[in-house]
Amino acid sequence: MALRRGGGGPGLLLLLLGTACLTPPSAQVRRLVRCPATCSCTKESIICVGSSWVPRIVPGDISSLSLVNGTFSEIKDRMFSHLPSLQLLLLNSNSFTVIRDDAFAGLFHLEYLFIEGNKIETISRNAFRGLRDLTHLDLRGNKFECDCKAKWLYLWLKMTNSTVSDVLCIGPPEYQEKKLNDVTSFDYECTTTDFVVHQTLPYQSVSVDTFNSKNDVYVAIAQPSMENCMVLEWDHIEMNFRSYDNITGQSIVGCKAILIEDQVFVVVAQLFGGSHIYRYDESWTKFVKFQDIEVSRISKPNDIELFQIEDETFFVIADSSKAGLSTVYKWNSKGFYSYQSLHEWFRDTDAEFVDIDGKSHLILSSRSQVPIILQWNKSSKKFVPHSDIPNMEDVLAVKSFRVQNGLYLSLTRFIGDSRVMRWNSKQFVEIQALPSRGAMTLQPFSFKENHYLALGSDYTFSQIYQWDKEKQLFKKFKEIYVQAPRSFTAVSTDRRDFFFASSFKGKTKIFEHIVVDLSL
């Protein structure tokens, strides 16, 4: 017996060793891998019930994995990447509430994904990234908040080539029990806007005007303390406003650009030394004096308003001196000449041209009387008194604007309440009062469908109001700090929108209007 065991043992051992050496390593591993305790396995599929984890080591290259009643709280990124041969993944009645970005990364061959009856609260916007062969996605039994956070899924459903089951909304109330596919759009609900400081100019200013010439954008800034009319140009490379030219003068309070055919003029209003008109000279690549404005008519200019009537170009200067003559000037192909003096002794602070029911009007505000409305007479081709805006004394400025086909006025008052009024086909009626604390300007401006009012303040923060479409009123939107603001001017360039806030006692600020996507 001993001899038999001794003679047969080494031969058998060699035979076994030889067999093992001929067997591929992968086959050895497969024989050692067991089906996880909470799962049942076949050659091609695994079904796990009540697991708190995804099996990491599985027998063979399975093509199907089902996880049912699992207790894990989230689907993490690349959670199944160790199973690259999966073609079907079923995740039903589990406890996870979150599906992270790249949750299914690495599953390049996955065709069927079932995520049914779970407690999902959040699906990250890149959760399905990398599923290039996906043909069917089942999300039944999961109800989603169809708010801005679901915008990406809404867009993904519109674009995917996969067949996707209906996604039902549990909220908000207007979408409850509706399908996500039936939501009209998230564009309005999921975007908001903001104003951020883009550039600060190290000087004071009282007015800003903008104009376009030869596909470039320019800004003319009146700087009385520096006795300049500074012209800035938008730099397409540096993406900011840079110095272009400088018109010098004496106590400049207004710079207004006028474009006539291929010529660019700037009306420069001064408190001393008379006002002047400059024209851009291409041979000198700068603005040169073109014409003087008679001192006898304009002694204390406060505002310049440009307008056209019957294809003819005019501008009006509102004079705020006691002996001033607010005057309309007209272009006659050679220059600008005084066309009409509007009235005397009223200390006009602002002039606004407005089309009311297809007829041209001028509205003049004054520190000594209520705003008056002048109407263009087609026969005499002059402005004649028409009406006034009652019970609105001490108005510093009047600006017109349109929202949703309605004609409105903003009226600036230094103390008390500034007002917003609407034309009702017969007269302007008040719709809103805005508390003023040292306001010198209440400026309306718009960027696409967003309408705003900027209310300056010498004593506290200035307010930006935004138009509420439903309430048909302006609501508080943002506070900005500008020392002694004197004007707000909207400027658009290179698909970007800005507004300049001039400061009488501090630095001029340029804010950029940005769109914020709340779905991100």
Side-chain angles (χ1 to χ4, degrees):
M1 292 292 291
L3 179 62
R4 190 179 301 118
R5 287 197 294 271
L12 179 59
L13 179 60
L14 291 171
L15 178 62
L16 291 172
L17 288 173
T19 304
C21 291
L22 294 172
T23 305
S26 60
Q28 296 180 49
V29 174
R30 288 174 187 167
R31 288 175 183 169
L32 296 175
V33 174
R34 294 182 179 180
C35 187
T38 58
C39 307
S40 60
C41 307
T42 67
K43 183 179 179 180
E44 296 181 347
S45 66
I46 298 178
I47 301 175
C48 302
V49 180
S51 297
S52 60
W53 42 269
V54 175
R56 300 297 302 175
I57 301 177
V58 297
D61 294 330
I62 64 167
S63 61
S64 171
L65 172 64
S66 299
L67 299 177
V68 181
N69 295 331
T71 59
F72 43 90
S73 62
E74 63 179 358
I75 304 295
K76 299 179 180 179
D77 62 296
R78 305 186 67 84
M79 199 166 178
F80 306 95
S81 61
H82 61 292
L83 304 169
S85 60
L86 278 184
Q87 298 177 25
L88 182 148
L89 177 58
L90 184 145
L91 304 170
N92 282 12
S93 303
N94 297 284
S95 298
F96 61 83
T97 59
V98 178
I99 303 179
R100 300 292 183 190
D101 283 337
D102 299 309
F104 308 102
L107 301 182
F108 301 114
H109 304 292
L110 193 69
E111 297 181 26
Y112 300 92
L113 178 57
F114 300 90
I115 309 176
E116 301 180 52
N118 300 285
K119 299 179 180 180
I120 300 173
E121 296 176 357
T122 303
I123 301 181
S124 299
R125 61 187 300 113
N126 295 311
F128 301 132
R129 184 162 54 190
L131 294 178
R132 63 191 184 194
D133 286 346
L134 189 67
T135 60
H136 186 89
L137 173 64
D138 195 335
L139 293 170
R140 286 182 296 186
N142 300 291
K143 293 186 177 181
F144 297 89
E145 281 289 336
C146 296
D147 55 13
C148 293
K149 296 301 180 183
K151 178 182 177 180
W152 76 267
L153 182 57
Y154 167 83
L155 296 174
W156 186 85
L157 292 173
K158 298 287 186 184
M159 297 173 59
T160 184
N161 293 323
S162 305
T163 300
V164 184
S165 63
D166 291 336
V167 178
L168 295 180
C169 303
I170 195 173
E174 60 266 30
Y175 296 139
Q176 194 168 5
E177 298 302 327
K178 291 185 178 181
K179 300 175 185 178
L180 180 58
N181 283 9
D182 294 338
V183 175
T184 305
S185 171
F186 284 96
D187 292 342
Y188 177 73
E189 297 86 347
C190 293
T191 58
T192 186
T193 57
D194 197 5
F195 292 92
V196 296
V197 176
H198 172 77
Q199 193 175 345
T200 300
L201 306 178
Y203 45 72
Q204 302 166 356
S205 61
V206 294
S207 73
V208 178
D209 186 42
T210 182
F211 61 96
N212 291 54
S213 178
K214 296 182 179 179
N215 298 320
D216 284 315
V217 178
Y218 299 88
V219 175
I221 303 178
Q223 305 167 277
S225 60
M226 298 177 66
E227 299 190 330
N228 289 333
C229 175
M230 178 71 72
V231 181
L232 305 181
E233 180 185 28
W234 172 251
D235 190 317
H236 298 270
I237 298 176
E238 296 296 329
M239 294 296 175
N240 59 18
F241 293 90
R242 62 179 178 84
S243 178
Y244 180 78
D245 195 9
N246 187 25
I247 302 171
T248 59
Q250 298 183 51
S251 192
I252 297 174
V253 294
C255 306
K256 189 70 176 181
I258 302 176
L259 278 68
I260 300 177
E261 296 176 349
D262 60 345
Q263 300 182 87
V264 180
F265 301 92
V266 174
V267 181
V268 178
Q270 301 185 151
L271 294 181
F272 305 104
S275 297
H276 311 283
I277 300 175
Y278 290 76
R279 182 176 64 182
Y280 186 75
D281 190 323
E282 292 192 0
S283 62
W284 289 84
T285 64
K286 63 180 299 181
F287 285 92
V288 298
K289 186 182 288 187
F290 173 73
Q291 178 184 338
D292 293 327
I293 295 176
E294 58 270 58
V295 180
S296 60
R297 291 182 177 274
I298 304 297
S299 59
K300 193 176 181 181
N302 205 74
D303 179 53
I304 309 169
E305 177 77 359
L306 174 69
F307 57 94
Q308 285 191 323
I309 298 177
E310 298 174 352
D311 297 326
E312 293 189 298
T313 301
F314 301 83
F315 70 86
V316 58
I317 298 181
D319 195 297
S320 59
S321 68
K322 290 183 178 180
L325 287 168
S326 292
T327 304
V328 176
Y329 292 82
K330 181 181 178 182
W331 172 255
N332 68 354
S333 77
K334 295 181 179 180
F336 298 90
Y337 66 97
S338 55
Y339 182 76
Q340 181 185 1
S341 294
L342 299 178
H343 59 192
E344 302 179 45
W345 315 110
F346 286 117
R347 300 173 60 195
D348 294 331
T349 55
D350 188 74
E352 179 73 358
F353 179 80
V354 59
D355 183 297
I356 303 176
D357 295 337
K359 298 179 180 179
S360 299
H361 295 76
L362 274 179
I363 303 178
L364 299 177
S365 62
S366 168
R367 300 300 298 266
S368 60
Q369 66 173 6
V370 298
I372 64 168
I373 301 176
L374 307 174
Q375 182 174 305
W376 180 258
N377 185 293
K378 289 187 176 181
S379 299
S380 64
K381 294 187 179 297
K382 295 289 180 69
F383 285 100
V384 296
H386 180 265
S387 59
D388 60 25
I389 302 177
N391 305 316
M392 285 300 298
E393 291 80 8
D394 202 24
V395 172
L396 293 177
V398 178
K399 303 298 178 186
S400 64
F401 60 99
R402 293 184 181 272
V403 178
Q404 297 174 320
N405 298 321
L407 173 61
Y408 297 84
L409 296 179
S410 64
L411 296 91
T412 309
R413 302 176 81 182
F414 190 74
I415 297 295
D417 289 342
S418 294
R419 307 297 172 98
V420 179
M421 308 188 81
R422 177 171 181 164
W423 179 253
N424 69 357
S425 76
K426 294 182 179 179
Q427 61 183 350
F428 287 100
V429 295
E430 181 182 329
I431 64 165
Q432 190 172 4
L434 304 175
S436 299
R437 300 293 180 267
M440 299 289 284
T441 178
L442 176 59
Q443 179 66 47
F445 61 99
S446 300
F447 296 123
K448 296 179 181 177
E449 297 301 317
N450 296 290
H451 305 282
Y452 302 96
L453 278 178
L455 178 63
S457 175
D458 278 12
Y459 306 131
T460 182
F461 287 94
S462 295
Q463 297 285 343
I464 299 180
Y465 294 83
Q466 185 176 34
W467 179 256
D468 188 315
K469 291 183 179 179
E470 295 182 0
K471 296 182 179 180
Q472 300 282 294
L473 294 171
F474 285 95
K475 61 181 180 181
K476 280 188 178 181
F477 179 73
K478 187 180 180 70
E479 288 184 336
I480 59 172
Y481 181 65
V482 181
Q483 287 184 271
R486 291 297 178 264
S487 70
F488 299 106
T489 305
V491 180
S492 294
T493 175
D494 282 2
R495 300 175 185 168
R496 298 173 69 175
D497 299 315
F498 305 91
F499 88 101
F500 282 62
S502 66
S503 170
F504 184 59
K505 296 182 178 180
K507 297 178 180 179
T508 300
K509 293 184 178 180
I510 306 173
F511 294 84
E512 182 171 9
H513 178 258
I514 62 172
V515 177
V516 181
D517 190 341
L518 299 176
S519 68
L520 298 178

